[in-house]
Structures are given as C-alpha cells and as structure tokens.
Amino acid sequence: MFSLFRPVLYLCSVLSMVISVLMAIVALFGWWRNDAEFMVFLLCAAGIFLCGLIVHFLVRSPGNQLVARQLYLMTSLGWMLMALCGALPLFFSHYELSFTDALFEAVSGITTTGSTVLSGIEQLSPSLLLWRSMLQWLGGLGVIGMAVSILPFLRIGGMRLFHTESSDWSDKSMPRLQSLARLLVLTYLGLSLACTAAYWLAGMSVFDAVNHAMTTVSTGGYATDDRSMGRFGAPILWIAIAFMLLGAMPFTLIISFLRRPRWHLLLNSQVLTLLGIVAAVSLLLSSFLILGNDQKPFHALTHATFNLVSVITTTGYASSDYTQWGNVSIALFFFVMFIGGCSGSTSGGMKIFRFELSYRFLRSQVRKLIHPNGVFTTQYNGRTVDDDIMHSAVAFSFLFFICLAVLTLFLAALGLDLVTSLSSAATALTNVGPGLGDIVGPAGNFAPLPDAAKWLLCFGMLLGRLELLTLMVLLTPVFWRG
C-alpha cells in the first residue's frame, strides 16, 4: 500500500511547497501594503513549506512513471490539498471565518467555481482579495493540465478523444509532457498579462486589473466588490467577454495557433459550436431586453452577452441580476449553465464536445432505424469516434444527472427550497458560481446555507472539477483491492 502512496505523496509535497511560495508572495505584497494579514500569510506559508519539505524527504520517489491508480489518487488528493492549504489563511485571518466557510471559499476558488460566502468583499484586506484571485488562477492552470495530460490517459468521460502523445504517462513520453507543460504555463501567463493590460487601459486600477485578469482567464469569477462586474462600463465588459471566451477555448489549440498561425485551426468543431450558441442566445436575450424591458439595443446586447458568456463559460461574473429579466431568461440561463466550455480549457460544465457527440450519436441511431442494415460511423473533427469513447461519454452524462439528483435531494432534506437546492447542486457540479433564487442567485451568496449544505457543495464542486469519475472511482472497493 505504501508503494501506491509513495509517489503520490512525493508529488503532493512538491505541490504544497509551490502553494507556500505563492502564499509568501501574498505575504510580501501585504507587507508592502501595510496589511495586517501579511503575518498570517507568512506563518501559513512557512508551516506549509516545512510540512511539504519533511514529506518530500521522507517519501523521496525515484523515477517518473505513474500507473493509473496513482494518477487517480494524485489528481484527487492534489485538489483536496490545494483547497485545504488555501483555506488556512482565510481561517486564521482577522475576518473571523468559520473553518467551514473558509474551506468553502477555498474549494470554490481552487475549482474556479466562484461561489462565495463573503459579503462586503470590497472591505476585505488587499491580501485576502489577492489570495482569492490567486487560488482561482492556480486552479485554472491545474484544470488545463489535468484535461490535457491526465484525463485522456485515464479514459475519463470520453476525454480519450483528445489523447495525444503528451497524454501518455510513460517514461518515454515525459519530455513531451514537460514541453507541453511549459507551453501551457507560458500561454496561460501570457493571456493573463494581456488581460491585465487591457483592463488597466480600459480604466481599472492596477490592483483591480490584476485580480480580475486572474479570475477572468481562469473563468473563476471572483471579483473585488459585491457588485461583481456591475460597477464597470461597457468597454471593460467587452474585454471580459473576449478573455472569458479565450479561457473557454482548448489551450492546445491556442498554443498551436500562436506557434504557427493557421486560420483553419479555428474551424475546430467545439469552438464553432460554442461561438454559435453564444451568438444565437445573446441575440435572443437582447431581443427580450429590448422588447420587454425597453432597454437600448447596445446596452441590452452588452449585458445579455456578458452574463450569458459568464454563465456558459462557468465564470460566474454578473453585471446585473439576470433573474429579473423574466421567466424565459431564467430558463435559458439555467440550461446553458450545464453546457460549459471546450475540452482542455479552464471552463467547467459538461463540455461542448459531449453535447456534440450525443447529437451525432442520436443522428446515427435515427439513420439505423431507417436503414437497419446500414453501417454508420460517428465522425468528430474529421476523425472516427471509437465506441468506447461514446460509451464513456454516455456513462459520464448518466452519472452527472444521477449526482445532480442526489445532491439536490440531500440539499432539500436540509430545508432548502427546490430552486435553491437544484440550482446550488447544478452550479456546484458545473463550477459556474451563482445559482438561481433570492439566496444563491447573482444578487446573493451562499452564507445563509447551513454548514452541512456547504460541505455537500464542497464535495459537489470537487466532483464537478474532477470530471466525476476521477473522484468517484476512489469510493469503490475495487480500486483499493487493486
């Protein structure tokens, strides 16, 4: 059993030391700003680094090759470790959060969900605001790496459709994996810097620009004010729309385009479908606002597009309370909440490609009904989709709605109304952020929920971020029997 955990603990020790370095950066920033929280961050950084260093030397693991069981463990424990470490400065801060609230905020941050239990956010110390944003930025980077290199190898939820040479965790593929990791980090950092510059040039302060850039590119949605993005004008909202969409694109596609610009790369099926849905639903919502709410066309288009892109990319920003736009708008926002962005992006949700595969599978089944003896293959981006990929995608979809139903029932059993229970469960599993209704809607937060509900939602957020099966497989006896 120790041989199973040894390389996992080794990698977790490295991860904890990375987190402590980021914490030390926040402590340095707090010291520069004369922030009373800087000592909290400094002590937490020192403690986490020391623990990570001790484990690092105790379980020093030779070699790089990992088997599937260790990857399942590493992925799940890694996200839990990041959430636990991220919660410590929040818990020990002068804001006096309970451990449940601190952990909820950290899990929401590291999974780039964006749900919050905090109010009066603009009154928080600069160090805590920066830390919340850094958690989402780190989580977004982790999501990309996991989607590109780990999930295809583990055949999770149809992700083998995007298997590359760098998705193989054998010794011979490690140089490719390391090269891809460097390119991912550089691209992610480059987009973050570009977003920061754009926000600053559009009128944000440097501090707001840095924070919002980290939570925009990571499609996380944490803001530095209770009004979210509602305090900014149209230019900033359109900048956010552009970078939220970039964050929802496959990062391997972005890397390929930056290395060798070829316009045919942008004809990717996921990208075209995402942009098509955004364009169609934005125009529909804008029409409702113009005709029903008597808003000016550009104002209606700006806010409809911004809030739609925020939800469909699972960012979770809000420029206004879209639950006040009418029942049809509420229904539209609820359904697009499940879609998410492209595979290999920072977005959550069920992902565009699974809906595309489902449509192609349905079309193939209809053809078989008409021509029982015909042979039909499912094509995706010019490639034939294997049956095991289709089976995996179908299994993921079935499990997703089972988890949604179970989580909703548990929340309802704790006394929450149906709208709050269902939308909270949905927003946790899809990592969107705000739900629907007066309590957890875009104008509220999750603070009024009982602690038991927050723990359930923490599990739901981790479950959604890890594509369900990565975490669920650890709960099966067969995994531990080897």
Side-chain angles (χ1 to χ4, degrees):
M1 184 62 73
F2 182 70
S3 62
L4 174 67
F5 276 95
R6 185 177 178 181
V8 174
L9 291 175
Y10 177 81
L11 291 171
C12 284
S13 71
V14 174
L15 179 60
S16 66
M17 288 189 282
V18 170
I19 295 172
S20 70
V21 171
L22 294 177
M23 231 176 253
I25 293 172
V26 177
L28 183 62
F29 169 78
W31 172 79
W32 176 64
R33 289 287 297 263
N34 293 318
D35 187 345
E37 304 292 352
F38 94 90
M39 187 55 70
V40 172
F41 279 95
L42 189 62
L43 292 175
C44 287
I48 292 171
F49 186 86
L50 182 61
C51 291
L53 194 63
I54 292 172
V55 173
H56 185 82
F57 284 108
L58 286 177
V59 298
R60 187 177 296 178
S61 176
N64 293 317
Q65 189 169 355
L66 295 173
V67 298
R69 292 175 70 212
Q70 291 167 331
L71 283 174
Y72 281 116
L73 271 175
M74 182 193 74
T75 306
S76 300
L77 293 181
W79 285 93
M80 293 177 192
L81 175 67
M82 288 191 291
L84 181 60
C85 292
L88 294 179
L90 297 170
F91 176 63
F92 290 112
S93 72
H94 296 88
Y95 198 76
E96 296 183 353
L97 284 175
S98 67
F99 181 74
T100 296
D101 284 348
L103 186 65
F104 180 92
E105 195 76 11
V107 171
S108 178
I110 207 68
T111 58
T112 71
T113 303
S115 303
T116 184
V117 294
L118 302 177
S119 56
I121 294 173
E122 61 275 10
Q123 304 300 322
L124 286 178
S125 70
S127 298
L128 289 176
L129 290 174
L130 182 61
W131 181 240
R132 293 168 78 242
S133 301
M134 288 182 75
L135 281 176
Q136 292 204 322
W137 192 84
L138 178 63
L141 183 60
V143 168
I144 301 167
M146 179 180 71
V148 170
S149 60
I150 298 177
L151 297 183
F153 176 80
L154 296 178
R155 301 168 179 260
I156 294 292
M159 296 292 281
R160 198 170 68 84
L161 186 63
F162 308 100
H163 190 279
T164 66
E165 289 181 324
S166 297
S167 302
D168 184 5
W169 281 74
S170 62
D171 286 333
K172 63 181 180 180
S173 71
M174 277 299 152
R176 296 191 188 97
L177 193 59
Q178 291 164 1
S179 175
L180 178 64
R182 274 195 305 274
L183 290 172
L184 286 174
V185 171
L186 289 174
T187 304
Y188 190 65
L189 182 60
L191 283 179
S192 302
L193 291 174
C195 188
T196 300
Y199 277 147
W200 178 67
L201 291 172
M204 275 192 187
S205 67
V206 174
F207 182 72
D208 276 343
V210 170
N211 280 274
H212 286 91
M214 284 194 286
T215 60
T216 300
V217 174
S218 66
T219 60
Y222 274 161
T224 57
D225 192 288
D226 279 348
R227 293 169 289 177
S228 189
M229 297 290 273
R231 61 193 174 111
F232 300 114
I236 286 176
L237 296 184
W238 282 103
I239 290 170
I241 289 169
F243 280 96
M244 284 189 289
L245 286 173
L246 283 172
M249 300 293 171
F251 266 67
T252 51
L253 190 69
I254 296 174
I255 290 171
S256 298
F257 184 79
L258 291 176
R259 294 181 71 185
R260 190 178 173 186
R262 289 170 291 174
W263 292 108
H264 76 272
L265 289 173
L266 303 183
L267 300 178
N268 181 276
S269 181
Q270 290 189 90
V271 173
L272 293 178
T273 303
L274 175 61
L275 295 179
I277 292 173
V278 167
V281 181
S282 294
L283 290 174
L284 185 61
L285 284 171
S286 300
S287 302
F288 288 146
L289 292 178
I290 293 168
L291 299 175
N293 293 27
D294 199 27
Q295 293 188 14
K296 293 181 179 180
F298 182 70
H299 181 273
L301 180 63
T302 298
H303 288 273
T305 305
F306 175 83
N307 287 285
L308 172 69
V309 170
S310 178
V311 171
I312 203 170
T313 61
T314 71
T315 306
Y317 285 142
S319 64
S320 57
D321 186 356
Y322 46 78
T323 61
Q324 303 300 314
W325 294 356
N327 291 332
V328 175
S329 298
I330 293 173
L332 280 172
F333 276 107
F334 178 73
F335 288 122
V336 299
M337 180 188 297
F338 293 94
I339 298 175
C342 302
S343 173
S345 71
T346 61
S347 294
M350 294 183 69
K351 302 293 188 304
I352 290 286
F353 84 93
R354 292 193 179 101
F355 288 92
E356 291 183 300
L357 287 181
S358 298
Y359 168 73
R360 285 166 169 75
F361 179 70
L362 178 62
R363 187 176 61 182
S364 179
Q365 292 299 109
V366 170
R367 288 177 177 176
K368 285 182 180 179
L369 291 175
I370 300 172
H371 304 286
N373 297 322
V375 178
F376 303 99
T377 58
T378 303
Q379 299 281 325
Y380 188 79
N381 272 332
R383 295 165 54 192
T384 300
V385 180
D386 294 337
D387 286 342
D388 66 325
I389 292 176
M390 293 298 302
H391 296 159
S392 185
V394 169
F396 173 90
S397 301
F398 175 74
L399 181 59
F400 181 92
F401 287 107
I402 289 293
C403 290
L404 177 65
V406 171
L407 191 54
T408 300
L409 288 172
F410 274 119
L411 292 172
L414 293 173
L416 303 182
D417 62 89
L418 178 60
V419 172
T420 302
S421 299
L422 179 58
S423 65
S424 294
T427 197
L429 289 172
T430 57
N431 304 117
V432 171
L436 299 174
D438 296 331
I439 301 174
V440 299
N445 67 25
F446 289 72
L449 301 187
D451 283 356
K454 293 171 186 173
W455 280 96
L456 283 171
L457 291 175
C458 282
F459 179 73
M461 287 186 280
L462 286 169
L463 199 59
R465 188 76 281 175
L466 295 173
E467 300 281 333
L468 305 184
L469 291 165
T470 310
L471 185 56
M472 293 291 283
V473 74
L474 299 186
L475 305 179
T476 60
V478 67
F479 174 86
W480 299 103
R481 288 199 298 265

